[in-house]
Amino acid sequence: MREEITSSIRARAQDLQQELVNMRRKLHSHPELGFEETQTAKLICKKLDQLGVKYQSGVAGTGIVGVIEGCDSGPTVGLRADMDALPISEESRKPYISKISGVMHACGHDAHVACLLGAIEVLVELRKSIRGCIKFIFQPAEEIDLGAKAIIAAGGLKYPKPDAFFALHCNPDIPVGYVGLRSGIVMASIDNIRIEVTGLGGHGAMPQKCVDSIVAASALVMNLQTVTSRAIDPLKPVVMTVGTFRAGTASNIIAEKAELTGSIRCLDSEVQQLLPNIIQNICDKTALTFGADVELDYENRVPVLVNSKSMTDIVRRSTLAVLGEDKVLDIAASMGGDDFAFILKEVPGTYFHLGVGSSEKTRMALHNSQFDIDESCLSIGAAVLASSAMLALEELQQQG
Ligand SMILES: [Zn+2]
Ligand SMILES: [Zn+2]
């Protein structure tokens, strides 16, 4: 990429810093849950109108899909930001604390939106140097794993079909000014289970006349741990978490029903395919042992997120160009998940981490009620998105 383009991306993103802070704070104080991002979408559309960019709102409910058309035909590169917040009550003394009770941007999606808007503004000004198309998606409902799927179902990846796609995510463990990158498997798959155990209720003093659903469900919780320790290759990590266990009404009544829900993560799509049968088998055998009825509801929610090698290399080179040497850190794969994985199943691309940490305060973990970012990350995120898009267009063009 020409040095002239790199330096104008760097300079324009810098100029936008205060504007991006204002936008991020507006979004931060008005967080909205998945598929309810109406005010967020309105704010985004207002900005896109100012920039004179073509877009469609109301995609998959609250999503926005648009394009920046370059001066000449060529490939299409996509950029995505998720918009939704979490059901958490924010604890903060900052002036931009959430005004919506019980809802908070604790995963930094407010920053993702600001970064993408910044990137769009920078790219609009570079239109004369763009040969091809930049597609952008403001995606709803990432936290509930449904937004990316809904955007794809609504045709968000068609007309034009992107040849590459990028997205960033805040990472408070990475100092601001740095970008975390990894090629290959980056994030885990997410599957959910709901298990209903039905026994025979009765008097707490006469267990011989009952089938105790709590005892059967307790055994099931323990047996499920053998998925990771006994049934799967130990070199292939799996997390099996039972998150809820509901049963019983009184101390002297044997509960007829117990319900468990859980989340299962892994870093290998072949392992993900094996899991439903293994878990069904454990449910069946446990049911037999206790004479209870066990119903398993197994849901594949999100696939493993895999970054393309060539696109990761593009983000690496564009980051080094706009931020300078040593600004890329290698990151480990995580058992967390992101539904950007659905987009990466359709289009090669890269999901990278944007450093947002600087002091103890901004190092609060994602999804914590005190989570915050070092806002100087915003122009950096915008610059890395814009330069990665430009470099990808250039390289795809050369490949023909
Ligand atoms: Zn999150
Ligand atoms: Zn997130």
Side-chain angles (χ1 to χ4, degrees):
M1 195 162 48
R2 293 203 313 273
E3 170 53 30
E4 171 199 337
I5 291 180
T6 311
S7 55
S8 79
I9 289 175
R10 197 188 297 123
R12 274 307 285 146
Q14 268 300 331
D15 294 346
L16 293 176
Q17 172 62 19
Q18 193 51 50
E19 191 186 309
L20 300 184
V21 168
N22 297 343
M23 173 57 80
R24 182 258 166 174
R25 291 186 179 187
K26 249 185 232 170
L27 295 164
H28 192 85
S29 55
H30 295 93
E32 295 171 299
L33 296 175
F35 291 128
E36 295 172 11
E37 306 94 334
T38 49
Q39 297 308 312
T40 305
K42 243 186 215 165
L43 261 180
I44 296 168
C45 292
K46 197 172 149 201
K47 182 69 200 166
L48 295 173
D49 288 336
Q50 282 168 13
L51 294 173
V53 184
K54 279 201 233 167
Y55 67 87
Q56 194 190 338
S57 59
V59 182
T62 46
I64 300 164
V65 179
V67 286
I68 304 169
E69 282 161 346
C71 65
D72 206 350
S73 61
T76 298
V77 172
L79 301 173
R80 171 270 211 174
D82 38 13
M83 309 188 284
D84 56 325
L86 286 155
I88 296 176
S89 292
E90 182 164 17
E91 290 177 60
S92 166
R93 294 217 172 106
K94 300 268 169 68
Y96 49 84
I97 184 173
S98 168
K99 291 193 169 75
I100 313 297
S101 156
V103 185
M104 176 192 174
H105 269 297
C107 203
H109 298 185
D110 49 346
H112 304 172
V113 170
C115 287
L116 181 52
L117 283 171
I120 292 170
E121 188 154 357
V122 169
L123 290 164
V124 164
E125 289 166 19
L126 284 173
R127 221 175 218 157
K128 283 193 185 126
S129 311
I130 297 176
R131 292 170 72 196
C133 219
I134 309 279
K135 182 162 207 165
F136 53 85
I137 294 179
F138 291 94
Q139 183 208 298
E142 189 283 324
E143 293 291 355
I144 51 173
D145 310 324
L146 298 173
K149 221 175 169 175
I151 286 276
I152 295 168
L157 293 185
K158 293 179 187 157
Y159 323 115
K161 184 184 183 316
D163 302 290
F165 231 102
F166 301 107
L168 57 74
H169 203 292
C170 288
N171 184 337
D173 295 326
I174 297 179
V176 72
Y178 288 82
V179 160
L181 261 184
R182 180 181 181 83
S183 166
I185 294 164
V186 182
M187 303 279 274
S189 60
I190 306 174
D191 291 347
N192 280 356
I193 52 168
R194 202 185 73 81
I195 300 174
E196 198 174 278
V197 180
T198 308
L200 182 63
H203 199 294
M206 294 157 202
Q208 75 282 10
K209 294 185 175 172
C210 306
V211 175
D212 190 338
S213 69
I214 291 183
V215 172
S218 301
L220 196 50
V221 172
M222 300 312 289
N223 292 346
L224 285 171
Q225 296 311 311
T226 64
V227 173
T228 58
S229 68
R230 301 294 97 178
I232 300 287
D233 180 344
L235 295 176
K236 297 188 172 166
V238 176
V239 171
M240 167 77 236
T241 293
V242 174
T244 68
F245 186 136
R246 290 195 185 87
T249 52
S251 61
N252 61 349
I253 298 172
I254 286 179
E256 182 146 316
K257 277 192 192 298
E259 187 205 67
L260 309 174
T261 64
S263 177
I264 309 164
R265 316 282 177 122
C266 72
L267 293 174
D268 185 311
S269 45
E270 280 174 26
V271 170
Q272 191 188 13
Q273 282 176 21
L274 297 173
L275 291 167
N277 275 342
I278 294 172
I279 289 169
Q280 182 66 59
N281 195 29
I282 291 172
C283 287
D284 293 347
K285 299 285 158 58
T286 308
L288 209 61
T289 308
F290 292 91
D293 193 45
V294 177
E295 272 302 317
L296 168 68
D297 186 3
Y298 195 101
E299 188 191 5
N300 283 123
R301 279 184 86 84
V302 176
V304 176
L305 186 148
V306 185
N307 277 350
S308 130
K309 192 172 180 302
S310 60
M311 292 303 147
T312 305
D313 190 51
I314 282 173
V315 175
R316 182 181 302 276
R317 283 186 287 134
S318 66
T319 303
L320 296 178
V322 286
L323 301 184
E325 288 300 319
D326 308 329
K327 295 299 190 218
V328 173
L329 304 175
D330 292 324
I331 52 168
S334 151
M335 295 311 273
D338 192 299
D339 74 352
F340 187 58
F342 282 110
I343 292 176
L344 291 185
K345 278 194 88 153
E346 306 289 325
V347 185
T350 289
Y351 174 89
F352 62 93
H353 286 189
L354 179 69
V356 301
S358 65
S359 61
E360 276 311 303
K361 267 227 158 313
T362 54
R363 274 175 200 270
M364 245 356 137
L366 294 169
H367 293 206
N368 182 287
S369 60
Q370 292 178 49
F371 174 75
D372 204 353
I373 59 168
D374 182 322
E375 290 172 318
S376 52
C377 71
L378 299 174
S379 55
I380 296 171
V384 175
L385 284 175
S387 61
S388 298
M390 288 300 282
L391 185 58
L393 278 180
E394 218 177 271
E395 305 241 323
L396 289 163
Q397 185 97 34
Q398 279 164 13
Q399 288 164 20

